Amino acid sequence: MLDPYLPLVLMFALAGAFALFSVVSAPYIGPRRYNRAKLDAYECGIEPSPQPVVGGGRMPVAYYLTAMLFILFDIEMVFLYPFAVSADMLGLFGLVEIVLFIVTVGFAYVYVWRRGGLDWN
């Protein structure tokens, strides 16, 4: 009865074994040449400075807010793809539901825009 699932279980087992093997064997196989440049923090190709200009060592909160908003709206837009695939089968019901979804996302976008969440100062 469970024979159709055997290839799937074997694929998951193979993926898990490969991941475990990669993590365990990396320290033994990889090169061990350490220098000062490798141990320093990488900051987009710019020489790291001890005190950033903004905030005395802290990242501005607007950076994180913008990143979270991007992820939020990006994930919401992913929900439009299943509608595009099955639009014929859903008919008028699907159209009404997707319009309500887009209106909800639009309200969220306008709210964030009016509150200044998209302003980068």
Side-chain angles (χ1 to χ4, degrees), residues 69 72-73 76-77 102-118:
L69 287 172
L72 175 74
F73 286 115
E76 286 179 351
M77 290 300 116
I102 291 174
V103 167
T104 304
V105 171
F107 279 138
Y109 178 73
V110 169
Y111 174 77
V112 168
W113 184 16
R114 302 277 281 172
R115 294 284 305 230
L118 302 175

Side-chain angles (χ1 to χ4, degrees), residues 32-88:
R32 293 181 184 90
R33 293 182 298 255
Y34 297 107
N35 58 29
R36 184 172 182 266
K38 281 188 178 182
L39 298 176
D40 279 346
Y42 178 71
E43 294 183 5
C44 301
I46 302 171
E47 285 292 323
S49 60
Q51 290 293 327
V53 178
V54 179
R58 295 183 179 159
M59 292 289 290
V61 175
Y63 172 79
Y64 296 107
L65 289 176
T66 305
M68 285 190 298
L69 287 172
F70 171 75
I71 291 170
L72 175 74
F73 286 115
D74 189 42
I75 290 173
E76 286 179 351
M77 290 300 116
V78 166
F79 288 116
L80 289 176
Y81 288 116
F83 169 75
V85 171
S86 61
D88 291 340

